[in-house]
Amino acid sequence: MKPPRSVNPSILSLALLLLVALQAVVAPNGHAASVSLSGFGTATIDGKLDPAEWAAAGRAEFLVNLPEGGTSAGTVFVMNDANNLYFAVRFARAFADQGNNANFTFDNNHNGVMFENGDDQIFFSTSQGFSDWFRSNQPACPPGSMPGCWGLGDAGYGGTNDGAGAFRNDGAFSTYEFAHPLKSGDVHDFSLAPGSVVGFVLALELINNGVLADTNFPAHPSTNGFADVVITSPAAPANYQGLWWNSPPASESGWGVNFAHQGDIIFATWFTYGADNQPQWYTIRAQKTAANVYAGPVSSFTGLPFNTVPYTANANVKTPVGTATITFTADGQSATFTYTVNGITQTKQIVPQQFTPSIPLPTCVWGAQPDLTLATNYQDLWWATDGQESGWGINFTHQGNIIFATWFTYDSTGKAWWLFSVARETAVPKVYSGDVKTASGPPFDAEPFDPNAVVRTSVGNATIAVIDGNHATFDYTVNGVTQTKHLTRQVFASPGTMCQ
Ligand SMILES: [Ca+2]
Ligand SMILES: [Ca+2]
Ligand SMILES: [Ca+2]
Ligand SMILES: [Ca+2]
């Protein structure tokens, strides 16, 4: 490979323009970008722009000047993955020009001054291939030039040539693709991470019959400034953790299903009523079977009465009663809940239960916070400290200053029993208190399910005192029995799910 040109004349003239313009328009700690682009994805650097490959990229349109006069419609694409920043440049062109050069120069530190000493630069030409450069003021720049007036090849100055480029014309478009590491470790390259913002300017050259046509993007840097790239992270997988009920909201008020969603597993606790109209709860351990689809067995339980002391873990008895499938819509805002329980098959449309229109539902992400003690939203499945009383549990649905608690346990005969509390934050921060109620209602398979037939009865009161995001004290008096339980979240797929 030939040594890279020390100065690209078009870049130099552009830079001089920019330098003048910057005196007037640039804020001291960052430039006002005309375009800000971002996207997460991975490209194969082969000069072929597969639409699926670049589907997630940020993009901007611009006009490419042609050697014979006139312009062609062009697009610049930008995205990153965990390792690389990627660019593609595509413009309509029925043939490959004799010379094609593309040059990205970066404002590494996003201070609004381009072509500074050390700024990164990548270059591809059909005659020279890919090169990785940096801007330098050594030897000293002529008076009046930009700060880092020279473009030097990294490999010639103690660094490494990092990245790749490709060019291809397919008879309809000319296309460049570039990759450059986010963090090569080379002193002559930028060092970027999710959330980083780096400025760039693109210079394109087409050469035919001794005529050079150059184009800059953004097109008019003296007025539009530079473009930015915001380095991004992959979108978190959908998480459905929370309390869901029949759609439309309140249409079957009286039953619901809580989802604890960690990794590819949804552990559902379904609060409803048996044929005797008495409270009944089922669990569903649903595994992801396809995009947005979770399916698994439905079980009922008997166990030790809630007030048993000491409470022996795993003393409950599980009975398989059927299967269930939950299919979420693409937007995650509703789902189809299909089940066969005791030979009865039904389908319900369900939606998340929102307590107050003005308080949005929290967003839940599995693995968002490995240290759950730091969480400030407590929506999750909780149990007696680290499973010491495995067999019963309590779901917290936390919106604003309300924790809606659904507690699944056993009555004095060992029959499945569920209770609930609308616990409001008290004058003491992080301490929530409310009545504890039980309910009777139509059997789960009643058609229609009449919400007015649900009878709620207060049986006591409860206080949830949050110690930290993963520890709480649950004090209650139920049917005259006063007890205290120490709770932690039930993590079945480490590191658990945090909502906020
Ligand atoms: Ca490609
Ligand atoms: Ca800079
Ligand atoms: Ca390098
Ligand atoms: Ca470099």
Side-chain angles (χ1 to χ4, degrees):
M1 183 185 294
K2 289 199 303 186
R5 297 173 295 175
S6 64
V7 176
N8 177 326
S10 65
I11 291 289
L12 178 58
S13 57
L14 169 63
L16 287 169
L17 261 179
L18 293 176
L19 189 64
V20 171
L22 288 170
Q23 313 301 323
V25 300
V26 167
N29 57 351
H31 53 73
S34 56
V35 182
S36 184
L37 303 174
S38 197
F40 193 89
T42 300
T44 302
I45 307 305
D46 54 8
K48 293 182 207 166
L49 198 150
D50 176 350
E53 176 185 23
W54 289 89
R59 62 196 66 190
E61 312 295 325
F62 68 116
L63 292 175
V64 176
N65 298 316
L66 301 173
E68 68 272 24
T71 58
S72 173
T75 308
V76 57
F77 300 77
V78 185
M79 62 185 180
N80 69 275
D81 61 14
N83 300 313
N84 290 297
L85 178 59
Y86 300 99
F87 288 97
V89 178
R90 183 177 66 164
F91 53 93
R93 194 67 164 155
F95 58 93
D97 289 270
Q98 291 165 354
N100 278 283
N101 306 325
N103 190 327
F104 287 90
T105 307
F106 299 97
D107 180 7
N108 290 16
N109 59 1
H110 198 241
N111 69 346
V113 185
M114 300 275 302
F115 300 89
E116 282 187 301
N117 203 36
D119 272 351
D120 207 349
Q121 188 166 10
I122 52 176
F123 178 75
F124 184 90
S125 108
T126 45
S127 59
Q128 297 180 49
F130 174 83
S131 12
D132 175 12
W133 293 0
F134 66 103
R135 305 304 303 185
S136 175
N137 61 3
Q138 297 297 321
C141 291
S145 60
M146 68 284 214
C149 60
W150 314 111
L152 305 176
D154 294 5
Y157 294 85
T160 46
N161 198 53
D162 299 291
F167 173 87
R168 185 167 178 267
N169 180 279
D170 63 5
F173 293 96
S174 283
T175 302
Y176 291 90
E177 290 185 308
F178 283 91
H180 193 40
L182 294 177
K183 194 170 185 173
S184 67
D186 183 352
V187 68
H188 297 318
D189 296 337
F190 52 45
S191 180
L192 306 175
S196 296
V197 183
V198 64
F200 77 91
V201 61
L202 164 65
L204 265 190
E205 295 179 340
L206 279 63
I207 304 164
N208 256 344
N209 304 317
V211 178
L212 180 151
D214 63 355
T215 303
N216 300 312
F217 173 84
H220 300 289
S222 62
T223 51
N224 288 355
F226 310 117
D228 276 346
V229 180
V230 181
I231 304 301
T232 188
S233 304
N239 190 285
Y240 308 109
Q241 182 153 306
L243 173 60
W244 294 60
W245 65 348
N246 198 68
S247 176
S251 57
E252 296 189 1
S253 182
W255 72 269
V257 58
N258 272 279
F259 295 150
H261 187 180
Q262 300 174 23
D264 286 341
I265 296 169
I266 292 178
F267 181 75
T269 39
W270 174 18
F271 298 86
T272 186
Y273 310 94
D276 58 359
N277 301 116
Q278 293 308 299
Q280 175 64 286
W281 55 266
Y282 300 106
T283 67
I284 307 159
R285 188 180 170 85
Q287 189 89 31
K288 188 174 184 178
T289 57
N292 309 329
V293 182
Y294 294 75
V298 181
S299 304
S300 70
F301 292 85
T302 57
L304 297 175
F306 75 97
N307 57 345
T308 306
V309 178
Y311 199 94
T312 308
N314 301 311
N316 54 342
V317 176
K318 176 164 83 174
T319 305
V321 295
T323 58
T325 300
I326 308 146
T327 304
F328 296 90
T329 52
D331 66 4
Q333 300 303 301
S334 62
T336 301
F337 178 33
T338 301
Y339 50 81
T340 299
V341 170
N342 298 332
I344 298 162
T345 299
Q346 288 187 304
T347 295
K348 302 276 190 178
Q349 301 300 321
I350 57 174
V351 291
Q353 183 170 347
Q354 185 169 9
F355 304 156
T356 308
S358 61
I359 299 176
L361 297 170
T363 299
C364 304
V365 178
W366 178 58
Q369 172 51 267
D371 182 357
L372 293 172
T373 65
L374 301 177
T376 55
N377 180 291
Y378 312 117
Q379 182 156 308
D380 210 337
L381 170 60
W382 296 66
W383 62 355
T385 305
D386 301 326
Q388 289 171 4
E389 300 185 3
S390 179
W392 68 271
I394 186 165
N395 294 279
F396 293 161
T397 305
H398 186 185
Q399 297 173 25
N401 61 359
I402 295 175
I403 291 178
F404 182 73
T406 46
W407 177 15
F408 54 101
T409 185
Y410 311 92
D411 68 12
S412 58
T413 69
K415 182 179 176 298
W417 189 34
W418 60 267
L419 305 106
F420 66 97
S421 180
V422 179
R424 297 174 186 278
E425 193 163 21
T426 64
V428 182
K430 297 188 185 179
V431 175
Y432 300 78
S433 194
D435 284 355
V436 173
K437 295 183 180 179
T438 186
S440 61
F444 74 91
D445 58 334
E447 292 276 10
F449 183 96
D450 179 7
N452 297 314
V454 175
V455 178
R456 298 165 179 84
T457 308
S458 184
V459 292
N461 57 73
T463 298
I464 300 156
V466 173
I467 299 161
D468 62 38
N470 195 31
H471 297 88
T473 304
F474 177 40
D475 290 293
Y476 54 82
T477 298
V478 168
N479 289 343
V481 177
T482 298
Q483 291 185 306
T484 296
K485 302 286 188 179
H486 300 282
L487 305 179
T488 61
R489 295 177 191 243
Q490 183 171 350
V491 176
F492 49 83
S494 186
T497 293
M498 187 181 80
C499 306
Q500 61 182 344

